[in-house]
Every structure is written in structure tokens, then in C-alpha cells.
Amino acid sequence: MTGKVTTWKATLRLKALAAASAAAVAAGAFGISAGASTNHRSAHGMSPQVVLDWNVNAVKAVLGPPAKGNAEGLVYTAYAQAAVYDAVTKIAGRYVPYHNFDADTAGASINAAVVAAAYNTLVHYLGDPGLALKQKYDASLALLPDAGKSAGIAVGKAAADDIIAFRTGDGRNATITTPYGQCVTACPAGLWTFAPPPSAQSAATPWLGFMRPFMLTSPSQFRPGPPPSLSSDAYADEFNEVKAVGALNSTVRTPEQTAVAYFWIANVYNQYNKAFRDLITAHHMDLVDAARALAMANLVGADSAIACWDSKYFYQFWRPTMAIRNADIDGNPETIADPTWTPLLTTPNHPDYLSGHGCVTGAEAEVFAAVLSTKRISVDIPGAENGLNTLTTSRHYATVKQLLQEIVNARVWVGFHFRGSVEAGVTLGQQVSHWTLARFFRPIGDENDDQGDRGDSGGD
């Protein structure tokens, strides 16, 4: 083994991951029926616009100010989309609700229920500074006919109240006192510490890794084995790859690779919610299927983030920045320290293993495939440019494989992660998606089907 960038092992791992992923779909690993397929309008035929509008409102509220971080933001959008989905299915049926609640649905307007469910959930968790949400609530309701409006509002509020009660005490924002990342001198090799200057940082949302999941049995349900040993060839390969291609002043990273690295700096819950809204519109889904797709995207995404953060704070593995600067203590002769090494962009303030974007993208890729009943997803995903996290461009992904390959590469090219950390994150996200979608969001009448052990060993 040499110190040069090694890619053939990573290519083989990605090919194996993609082949297994395709096999899982062929075997019906999702265990659910698609709510909408290409150019299909469900029998109900109701416009999804109110669902789309209130998803936009939810994302904007979570974006703040104050903005919620990438992973924790999915928790807040999940609360809102769970309430919307439950209100919709309470009135329209078609799919099994996330959580059952009592409400009189006679004559209830499903549109009013969506508005009330989203609004009441968001205000509870985020407040309403400046009454921006109240103004949107009033404006939405003013567009609806009076017939069934009051009954619909009651159903939506009942759905919101039920989610709030069900999720009370779930660990959101719990105080975690362990001084993560604070080691400054004589730190053990491999231990995550803040990149300089450490005094200006705090650990990002450690509570997320201890939070009660929305659907999983525990945050650690799919916790993978540890990262590679520091003395191993696998670690040295990944070290030398990110050192060369992820550096701020890299001479081997191409302009296209830099653009891809920048693209995936985008805010993840903003990014994927817009992608799912666009998918809903492109595939002519009605209101019920739209509510289901957005609930799937956000609840599965939130659980993948919770499971990811469990691994991050369990293993506390160092990021490339500190690993490369301190390679003289890792005991591996194939890694050479560079005390001034800097990644393309500023290293996030949470551990390397697993990659958050890898976990969430692994999960969302499989939600796309489940909603569309194909791995040939053909979706456009919005992203960022020039190191800013605003959505200013988009990229097209023909297949799940293409999407997963790119997220793995992107997080290495930006200098944030070792390749294996992103690959393991992708696998965890897929496991979370397969397991949860085999048990939730199923069509009515299909909820008692034999689910076997699908997803327990990771599906694809």
C-alpha cells in the first residue's frame, strides 16, 4: 500500500452496495404498495396544493430565524408532517395513520384539516414570532368554502394535539452533559475533538442520538460496527484519499468535483422537502398521496438522523481535519501528518462516524424508490453553489445508485468525512428506510400482512 489516493476499493464497495440495493427492490423489500406512480392520479382526485403549501410553511418556520440545524430540522418537519398525514388519513382513509386519535370526521373539510394540523403543530414546537404562521393560517382558511371548514379545523387540531401528546418526553432538546469534543491537549488518537478554535464551538445536538425515534425501536437499532482500526490498511487508504482530494488547496480535485462538494452543503431538510414537493407535482399525486409521501420523507429522514447521531456520539471518531493534523499519533506508518491541513469548507461540529448526509440521503433515496416503485427514480434535487447553503441550482439523478454514489463522493471531496463513514451512513439510512416502510404508511387492509424480518438485517 502507498500513500496515494486509493479508489478501487471504494468503487468495489459502491458496486456491491448498488447491486444489493437493486436486489432488494426485486424481492419486494419495502413491503408496501406505492401510493402514486408515474402519471397517476389517485381516485380521490383532490388537489395536493394545500399539503404542498403547508410543507413550504413548515420548512420556512424550521429554517427560522432562529434556524434549526440540518439533522434536528428533520425532527420538527416530521412533527408537522405526521400530524398532517394523520388528519388526512383520518378523513380520507386509504392508508394506515401514523398514530390513531379520536375525532368526528363527519362532513369535515380535508383541506381545513391539513391547515389546522400543520399550523397547530408548528406553533406548539416553534412558536410564532411576528405571527407569520397565524397570518398564513388565516389566509389559507379564507380561501376555503365554509361547508365543512369548522369540522375540518377540529380534526386537524385533534391530529396536532395527538402528535404533541404522543411525542411528549421524547428527548427533544434534552440536556446531555458529557463534554463532547472538548479535549485540547494529550487527546487520544482517534477521539473526536473540535477543529480549531475549539473554544468557539459546542457539540451539535448530542441529544438527537438519545431521542426516542418516531418509528424505530431505539436509536441504536441499526448501529454499525466501529470504524476501521487506525493501524489498518483500510484506514490509511481513506485517510490518504481525503487528505489529497478534500483539502482546501487540493491539486487533484477537479472543478466538477468541487461543484458537487458545494452542491451537498445545502440544508438537508430544505433540500429534500423541495425535492419531494417537485416529485408530487411531476407525478400528479393527489392530496392523500402527497401527505403520505411527505410524511414518509420526513419521519424516515428524522429516524435516520436519530440513528446516525447515536453512532456519532457512541463512537466519537475524529474528523479528517484533526486526524490529518495529528497523524503522528495514530500508529500507522502509511499516514503522514500535516499540521496545517484544512478541508474545502469548515468542518461541522459533530463526529465523523457516521456521515449525517450519508444517513439521510441513504434513507431518502429509498423513500423515492418506495413512492415510485422503482430504483430508476429520475428525480431532480436542489442544491447549493460556491460554498453557500441556499438552494440555487439542481442536479438530476436517474437512479438510486447514482444518487448514493454522489453523496459518498461529495462528503469526501469537501473534506468532511472518510469514505467509509459516508458509506456506512448510506447503509444505515437504507436499513432505517426499509424497516420503517415495511411497517408504516401501508395501505388500509395491508397493515396486517406478514412482514417477516424485512429490514432487520438491512434490506439492501
PDB file of all heavy atoms in Angstrom, residues 267-285:
ATOM      1  N   ASN A 267     -28.891  22.914   2.952  1.00  0.00           N
ATOM      2  CA  ASN A 267     -29.663  22.477   4.109  1.00  0.00           C
ATOM      3  C   ASN A 267     -30.492  21.255   3.731  1.00  0.00           C
ATOM      4  O   ASN A 267     -31.298  21.285   2.805  1.00  0.00           O
ATOM      5  CB  ASN A 267     -30.572  23.611   4.564  1.00  0.00           C
ATOM      6  CG  ASN A 267     -31.424  23.234   5.735  1.00  0.00           C
ATOM      7  OD1 ASN A 267     -32.345  22.441   5.600  1.00  0.00           O
ATOM      8  ND2 ASN A 267     -31.130  23.799   6.894  1.00  0.00           N
ATOM      9  N   VAL A 268     -30.326  20.170   4.475  1.00  0.00           N
ATOM     10  CA  VAL A 268     -30.851  18.882   4.028  1.00  0.00           C
ATOM     11  C   VAL A 268     -32.374  18.804   4.110  1.00  0.00           C
ATOM     12  O   VAL A 268     -33.019  18.222   3.229  1.00  0.00           O
ATOM     13  CB  VAL A 268     -30.171  17.733   4.801  1.00  0.00           C
ATOM     14  CG1 VAL A 268     -30.635  17.669   6.243  1.00  0.00           C
ATOM     15  CG2 VAL A 268     -30.394  16.400   4.110  1.00  0.00           C
ATOM     16  N   TYR A 269     -33.003  19.387   5.142  1.00  0.00           N
ATOM     17  CA  TYR A 269     -34.464  19.279   5.191  1.00  0.00           C
ATOM     18  C   TYR A 269     -35.129  20.219   4.200  1.00  0.00           C
ATOM     19  O   TYR A 269     -36.198  19.919   3.654  1.00  0.00           O
ATOM     20  CB  TYR A 269     -35.013  19.491   6.611  1.00  0.00           C
ATOM     21  CG  TYR A 269     -34.644  20.774   7.318  1.00  0.00           C
ATOM     22  CD1 TYR A 269     -35.390  21.935   7.147  1.00  0.00           C
ATOM     23  CD2 TYR A 269     -33.563  20.816   8.195  1.00  0.00           C
ATOM     24  CE1 TYR A 269     -35.066  23.101   7.822  1.00  0.00           C
ATOM     25  CE2 TYR A 269     -33.226  21.979   8.872  1.00  0.00           C
ATOM     26  CZ  TYR A 269     -33.981  23.128   8.677  1.00  0.00           C
ATOM     27  OH  TYR A 269     -33.649  24.286   9.340  1.00  0.00           O
ATOM     28  N   ASN A 270     -34.510  21.346   3.918  1.00  0.00           N
ATOM     29  CA  ASN A 270     -34.993  22.223   2.860  1.00  0.00           C
ATOM     30  C   ASN A 270     -34.847  21.528   1.503  1.00  0.00           C
ATOM     31  O   ASN A 270     -35.775  21.516   0.675  1.00  0.00           O
ATOM     32  CB  ASN A 270     -34.209  23.530   2.886  1.00  0.00           C
ATOM     33  CG  ASN A 270     -34.809  24.618   1.999  1.00  0.00           C
ATOM     34  OD1 ASN A 270     -35.939  24.516   1.536  1.00  0.00           O
ATOM     35  ND2 ASN A 270     -34.037  25.664   1.758  1.00  0.00           N
ATOM     36  N   GLN A 271     -33.708  20.937   1.293  1.00  0.00           N
ATOM     37  CA  GLN A 271     -33.368  20.274   0.046  1.00  0.00           C
ATOM     38  C   GLN A 271     -34.330  19.128  -0.286  1.00  0.00           C
ATOM     39  O   GLN A 271     -34.912  19.077  -1.373  1.00  0.00           O
ATOM     40  CB  GLN A 271     -31.936  19.751   0.182  1.00  0.00           C
ATOM     41  CG  GLN A 271     -31.310  19.098  -1.017  1.00  0.00           C
ATOM     42  CD  GLN A 271     -29.854  18.768  -0.744  1.00  0.00           C
ATOM     43  OE1 GLN A 271     -29.496  18.318   0.346  1.00  0.00           O
ATOM     44  NE2 GLN A 271     -28.996  18.968  -1.712  1.00  0.00           N
ATOM     45  N   TYR A 272     -34.509  18.221   0.666  1.00  0.00           N
ATOM     46  CA  TYR A 272     -35.325  17.041   0.365  1.00  0.00           C
ATOM     47  C   TYR A 272     -36.816  17.343   0.377  1.00  0.00           C
ATOM     48  O   TYR A 272     -37.575  16.737  -0.390  1.00  0.00           O
ATOM     49  CB  TYR A 272     -34.970  15.892   1.298  1.00  0.00           C
ATOM     50  CG  TYR A 272     -33.749  15.145   0.806  1.00  0.00           C
ATOM     51  CD1 TYR A 272     -32.570  15.118   1.540  1.00  0.00           C
ATOM     52  CD2 TYR A 272     -33.769  14.500  -0.429  1.00  0.00           C
ATOM     53  CE1 TYR A 272     -31.452  14.465   1.070  1.00  0.00           C
ATOM     54  CE2 TYR A 272     -32.652  13.852  -0.914  1.00  0.00           C
ATOM     55  CZ  TYR A 272     -31.494  13.829  -0.162  1.00  0.00           C
ATOM     56  OH  TYR A 272     -30.385  13.185  -0.648  1.00  0.00           O
ATOM     57  N   ASN A 273     -37.283  18.262   1.195  1.00  0.00           N
ATOM     58  CA  ASN A 273     -38.695  18.595   1.134  1.00  0.00           C
ATOM     59  C   ASN A 273     -39.058  19.224  -0.211  1.00  0.00           C
ATOM     60  O   ASN A 273     -40.103  18.906  -0.784  1.00  0.00           O
ATOM     61  CB  ASN A 273     -39.084  19.502   2.302  1.00  0.00           C
ATOM     62  CG  ASN A 273     -39.448  18.717   3.536  1.00  0.00           C
ATOM     63  OD1 ASN A 273     -40.509  18.101   3.615  1.00  0.00           O
ATOM     64  ND2 ASN A 273     -38.547  18.695   4.513  1.00  0.00           N
ATOM     65  N   LYS A 274     -38.193  20.079  -0.723  1.00  0.00           N
ATOM     66  CA  LYS A 274     -38.470  20.642  -2.055  1.00  0.00           C
ATOM     67  C   LYS A 274     -38.440  19.555  -3.119  1.00  0.00           C
ATOM     68  O   LYS A 274     -39.275  19.535  -4.037  1.00  0.00           O
ATOM     69  CB  LYS A 274     -37.481  21.746  -2.412  1.00  0.00           C
ATOM     70  CG  LYS A 274     -37.864  22.440  -3.729  1.00  0.00           C
ATOM     71  CD  LYS A 274     -36.963  23.591  -4.078  1.00  0.00           C
ATOM     72  CE  LYS A 274     -37.507  24.374  -5.278  1.00  0.00           C
ATOM     73  NZ  LYS A 274     -37.873  23.538  -6.435  1.00  0.00           N
ATOM     74  N   ALA A 275     -37.493  18.635  -3.011  1.00  0.00           N
ATOM     75  CA  ALA A 275     -37.415  17.547  -3.989  1.00  0.00           C
ATOM     76  C   ALA A 275     -38.689  16.715  -3.973  1.00  0.00           C
ATOM     77  O   ALA A 275     -39.207  16.330  -5.034  1.00  0.00           O
ATOM     78  CB  ALA A 275     -36.201  16.669  -3.695  1.00  0.00           C
ATOM     79  N   PHE A 276     -39.222  16.435  -2.782  1.00  0.00           N
ATOM     80  CA  PHE A 276     -40.452  15.652  -2.713  1.00  0.00           C
ATOM     81  C   PHE A 276     -41.668  16.454  -3.185  1.00  0.00           C
ATOM     82  O   PHE A 276     -42.582  15.896  -3.796  1.00  0.00           O
ATOM     83  CB  PHE A 276     -40.661  15.100  -1.307  1.00  0.00           C
ATOM     84  CG  PHE A 276     -39.931  13.794  -1.080  1.00  0.00           C
ATOM     85  CD1 PHE A 276     -38.664  13.780  -0.505  1.00  0.00           C
ATOM     86  CD2 PHE A 276     -40.501  12.597  -1.469  1.00  0.00           C
ATOM     87  CE1 PHE A 276     -37.994  12.578  -0.313  1.00  0.00           C
ATOM     88  CE2 PHE A 276     -39.833  11.398  -1.292  1.00  0.00           C
ATOM     89  CZ  PHE A 276     -38.576  11.377  -0.718  1.00  0.00           C
ATOM     90  N   ARG A 277     -41.689  17.751  -2.920  1.00  0.00           N
ATOM     91  CA  ARG A 277     -42.787  18.559  -3.462  1.00  0.00           C
ATOM     92  C   ARG A 277     -42.769  18.530  -4.985  1.00  0.00           C
ATOM     93  O   ARG A 277     -43.820  18.400  -5.633  1.00  0.00           O
ATOM     94  CB  ARG A 277     -42.694  20.009  -2.956  1.00  0.00           C
ATOM     95  CG  ARG A 277     -42.961  20.180  -1.479  1.00  0.00           C
ATOM     96  CD  ARG A 277     -43.215  21.638  -1.126  1.00  0.00           C
ATOM     97  NE  ARG A 277     -42.155  22.551  -1.525  1.00  0.00           N
ATOM     98  CZ  ARG A 277     -41.112  22.893  -0.767  1.00  0.00           C
ATOM     99  NH1 ARG A 277     -40.969  22.362   0.449  1.00  0.00           N
ATOM    100  NH2 ARG A 277     -40.215  23.755  -1.197  1.00  0.00           N
ATOM    101  N   ASP A 278     -41.591  18.656  -5.561  1.00  0.00           N
ATOM    102  CA  ASP A 278     -41.478  18.630  -7.017  1.00  0.00           C
ATOM    103  C   ASP A 278     -41.881  17.270  -7.569  1.00  0.00           C
ATOM    104  O   ASP A 278     -42.523  17.173  -8.630  1.00  0.00           O
ATOM    105  CB  ASP A 278     -40.055  18.971  -7.446  1.00  0.00           C
ATOM    106  CG  ASP A 278     -39.681  20.418  -7.174  1.00  0.00           C
ATOM    107  OD1 ASP A 278     -40.592  21.234  -6.916  1.00  0.00           O
ATOM    108  OD2 ASP A 278     -38.473  20.735  -7.205  1.00  0.00           O
ATOM    109  N   LEU A 279     -41.509  16.209  -6.855  1.00  0.00           N
ATOM    110  CA  LEU A 279     -41.888  14.863  -7.286  1.00  0.00           C
ATOM    111  C   LEU A 279     -43.410  14.687  -7.254  1.00  0.00           C
ATOM    112  O   LEU A 279     -44.007  14.109  -8.169  1.00  0.00           O
ATOM    113  CB  LEU A 279     -41.208  13.828  -6.383  1.00  0.00           C
ATOM    114  CG  LEU A 279     -41.498  12.349  -6.621  1.00  0.00           C
ATOM    115  CD1 LEU A 279     -40.266  11.517  -6.317  1.00  0.00           C
ATOM    116  CD2 LEU A 279     -42.657  11.857  -5.757  1.00  0.00           C
ATOM    117  N   ILE A 280     -44.046  15.186  -6.204  1.00  0.00           N
ATOM    118  CA  ILE A 280     -45.508  15.105  -6.069  1.00  0.00           C
ATOM    119  C   ILE A 280     -46.186  15.794  -7.250  1.00  0.00           C
ATOM    120  O   ILE A 280     -47.136  15.269  -7.843  1.00  0.00           O
ATOM    121  CB  ILE A 280     -45.949  15.722  -4.735  1.00  0.00           C
ATOM    122  CG1 ILE A 280     -45.561  14.788  -3.585  1.00  0.00           C
ATOM    123  CG2 ILE A 280     -47.446  16.018  -4.717  1.00  0.00           C
ATOM    124  CD1 ILE A 280     -45.589  15.450  -2.216  1.00  0.00           C
ATOM    125  N   THR A 281     -45.693  16.965  -7.600  1.00  0.00           N
ATOM    126  CA  THR A 281     -46.265  17.710  -8.720  1.00  0.00           C
ATOM    127  C   THR A 281     -46.012  16.996 -10.045  1.00  0.00           C
ATOM    128  O   THR A 281     -46.921  16.848 -10.872  1.00  0.00           O
ATOM    129  CB  THR A 281     -45.678  19.132  -8.765  1.00  0.00           C
ATOM    130  OG1 THR A 281     -46.000  19.814  -7.549  1.00  0.00           O
ATOM    131  CG2 THR A 281     -46.227  19.913  -9.952  1.00  0.00           C
ATOM    132  N   ALA A 282     -44.787  16.538 -10.246  1.00  0.00           N
ATOM    133  CA  ALA A 282     -44.433  15.888 -11.514  1.00  0.00           C
ATOM    134  C   ALA A 282     -45.216  14.608 -11.746  1.00  0.00           C
ATOM    135  O   ALA A 282     -45.526  14.264 -12.898  1.00  0.00           O
ATOM    136  CB  ALA A 282     -42.930  15.597 -11.540  1.00  0.00           C
ATOM    137  N   HIS A 283     -45.559  13.903 -10.681  1.00  0.00           N
ATOM    138  CA  HIS A 283     -46.258  12.624 -10.817  1.00  0.00           C
ATOM    139  C   HIS A 283     -47.756  12.738 -10.530  1.00  0.00           C
ATOM    140  O   HIS A 283     -48.433  11.724 -10.363  1.00  0.00           O
ATOM    141  CB  HIS A 283     -45.602  11.581  -9.915  1.00  0.00           C
ATOM    142  CG  HIS A 283     -44.226  11.189 -10.389  1.00  0.00           C
ATOM    143  ND1 HIS A 283     -44.009  10.155 -11.256  1.00  0.00           N
ATOM    144  CD2 HIS A 283     -43.008  11.737 -10.139  1.00  0.00           C
ATOM    145  CE1 HIS A 283     -42.713  10.052 -11.514  1.00  0.00           C
ATOM    146  NE2 HIS A 283     -42.084  11.011 -10.845  1.00  0.00           N
ATOM    147  N   HIS A 284     -48.260  13.968 -10.463  1.00  0.00           N
ATOM    148  CA  HIS A 284     -49.701  14.221 -10.376  1.00  0.00           C
ATOM    149  C   HIS A 284     -50.346  13.489  -9.198  1.00  0.00           C
ATOM    150  O   HIS A 284     -51.455  12.951  -9.325  1.00  0.00           O
ATOM    151  CB  HIS A 284     -50.390  13.825 -11.688  1.00  0.00           C
ATOM    152  CG  HIS A 284     -49.761  14.430 -12.900  1.00  0.00           C
ATOM    153  ND1 HIS A 284     -49.846  15.779 -13.190  1.00  0.00           N
ATOM    154  CD2 HIS A 284     -49.001  13.879 -13.875  1.00  0.00           C
ATOM    155  CE1 HIS A 284     -49.189  16.023 -14.313  1.00  0.00           C
ATOM    156  NE2 HIS A 284     -48.657  14.899 -14.741  1.00  0.00           N
ATOM    157  N   MET A 285     -49.675  13.496  -8.066  1.00  0.00           N
ATOM    158  CA  MET A 285     -50.263  12.867  -6.885  1.00  0.00           C
ATOM    159  C   MET A 285     -51.397  13.730  -6.349  1.00  0.00           C
ATOM    160  O   MET A 285     -51.375  14.950  -6.476  1.00  0.00           O
ATOM    161  CB  MET A 285     -49.202  12.693  -5.802  1.00  0.00           C
ATOM    162  CG  MET A 285     -48.089  11.758  -6.162  1.00  0.00           C
ATOM    163  SD  MET A 285     -46.970  11.508  -4.766  1.00  0.00           S
ATOM    164  CE  MET A 285     -45.582  10.730  -5.601  1.00  0.00           C
TER     165      MET A 285
END
